Amino acid sequence: VYLALPDTQNSLFTLSPELMRVPLEESPCFDPQHISTLLPYIEKAHAIILGPGLGTAIETQAFLKALLPQLQNKALVLDAD
């Protein structure tokens, strides 16, 4: 299981040490610049879970608009605000 989180939520990694962290560039929320980092993990994944707590930041909205078309062949769970 890989977990990618914005910097503001990094404390979640202490809850389950078996989670593998996907390193994202520093940002308080998901941003379109994170997609290039996530794509290699997405290509190997059988399922993708987004959320909960994605937030409503403009950067996150742009991230989702750019990312969702690339997830068409993946099982997807989307739990957004």
Side-chain angles (χ1 to χ4, degrees):
V1 174
Y2 290 94
L3 187 62
L5 296 170
D7 285 342
T8 56
Q9 298 176 4
N10 276 336
S11 63
L12 292 176
F13 289 109
T14 61
L15 298 175
S16 296
E18 67 275 8
L19 295 174
M20 301 297 293
R21 181 173 192 241
V22 176
L24 295 179
E25 294 180 28
E26 290 188 27
S27 177
C29 59
F30 284 109
D31 189 288
Q33 69 181 350
H34 295 140
I35 292 174
S36 62
T37 301
L38 294 172
L39 282 178
Y41 297 94
I42 290 169
E43 289 172 3
K44 294 187 271 185
H46 297 281
I48 307 294
I49 299 172
L50 295 171
L54 289 173
T56 57
I58 292 172
E59 295 87 354
T60 301
Q61 293 174 29
F63 168 80
L64 289 172
K65 285 179 185 176
L67 180 67
L68 289 175
Q70 299 182 54
L71 304 179
Q72 291 181 1
N73 297 322
K74 301 288 182 181
L76 175 65
V77 174
L78 182 58
D79 181 2
D81 289 342

